[in-house]
Amino acid sequence: MKMATSVVPSRLTLFLFFTYFAAVSAATSTTTTLRPHSGFIYSRTRGRCTPQFWSSRREAWPRMVPHGSTVTKVFGSRASERFRSDMTLLEERAGNEDVFSELLKQASAALLNSYARKGFPYSAWQVKTLMIQGLVSESAAARLSKRFSVANDACIGL
């Protein structure tokens, strides 16, 4: 004699069904708050790694780069070809908005992040080297400024 199969779903099946849709619903609502940014997806607001954050002095700068550091001392003598030799990193943040100034802003923030933020994608040496390479032309400056901007914006700030 055969047993009759029940059409009524088991409690486990119902539990799994509702759990799945709850998870999908939560993931869908979460992804609407995430902002894609050049290959990175993150859910935090801009803040703890950007040039604006570092210029606000809300957090102490790493000892390797004091507030009064000049562009030349931080990035080398090659930087003095584009910027005043006595210009500090903070002064440049308030300066004009050409492609080299934007590179300096983003590279300065990237350098501070490389010292202060665990897991930042660039080491201090890489930031300094790329900064000097970016000073060669406007197109190089724009390209590297964008790379640093993406890294600074995606930084979690730990």
Side-chain angles (χ1 to χ4, degrees), residues 85-130:
S85 62
D86 65 338
M87 178 182 290
T88 66
L89 297 180
L90 280 175
E91 285 178 316
E92 181 49 38
R93 290 213 169 89
N96 57 3
E97 291 299 323
D98 67 355
V99 68
F100 295 107
S101 296
E102 184 62 25
L103 173 62
L104 181 57
K105 285 180 189 179
Q106 294 298 334
S108 298
L111 182 65
L112 293 167
N113 290 330
S114 72
Y115 286 124
R117 306 291 186 239
K118 189 175 185 175
F120 190 71
Y122 295 102
S123 68
W125 178 84
Q126 289 173 312
V127 172
K128 290 178 181 185
T129 302
L130 290 171

Side-chain angles (χ1 to χ4, degrees), residues 146-157:
K146 183 65 177 167
R147 281 178 63 184
F148 286 139
S149 176
V150 167
N152 293 335
D153 287 347
C155 172
I156 296 173

Side-chain angles (χ1 to χ4, degrees), residues 4 7 24 27 44 56 61 67 71 75 112 139:
V7 180
V24 168
R44 65 167 192 81
S56 73
W61 284 23
H67 281 109
V71 173
F75 292 109
L112 293 167
S139 62

Side-chain angles (χ1 to χ4, degrees), residues 10-149:
S10 70
R11 288 182 184 169
L12 178 61
T13 305
L14 286 173
F15 174 76
L16 292 174
F17 178 78
F18 287 116
T19 305
Y20 170 78
F21 282 105
V24 168
S25 174
T28 304
S29 66
T30 302
T31 55
T32 58
T33 61
L34 297 177
R35 299 181 300 158
H37 194 289
S38 300
F40 293 101
I41 297 179
Y42 58 100
S43 60
R44 65 167 192 81
T45 57
R46 290 176 57 97
R48 294 184 41 86
C49 299
T50 62
Q52 297 81 10
F53 173 79
W54 286 112
S55 63
S56 73
R57 298 183 184 196
R58 286 183 282 174
E59 182 177 319
W61 284 23
R63 283 186 272 158
M64 289 68 75
V65 187
H67 281 109
S69 298
T70 64
V71 173
T72 304
K73 284 186 180 180
V74 171
F75 292 109
S77 60
R78 182 76 188 245
S80 66
E81 296 172 13
R82 296 273 183 205
F83 307 101
R84 289 188 348 256
S85 62
D86 65 338
M87 178 182 290
T88 66
L89 297 180
L90 280 175
E91 285 178 316
E92 181 49 38
R93 290 213 169 89
N96 57 3
E97 291 299 323
D98 67 355
V99 68
F100 295 107
S101 296
E102 184 62 25
L103 173 62
L104 181 57
K105 285 180 189 179
Q106 294 298 334
S108 298
L111 182 65
L112 293 167
N113 290 330
S114 72
Y115 286 124
R117 306 291 186 239
K118 189 175 185 175
F120 190 71
Y122 295 102
S123 68
W125 178 84
Q126 289 173 312
V127 172
K128 290 178 181 185
T129 302
L130 290 171
M131 169 64 177
I132 297 304
Q133 291 174 1
L135 295 175
V136 173
S137 68
E138 287 187 8
S139 62
R143 186 178 66 252
L144 289 172
S145 177
K146 183 65 177 167
R147 281 178 63 184
F148 286 139
S149 176

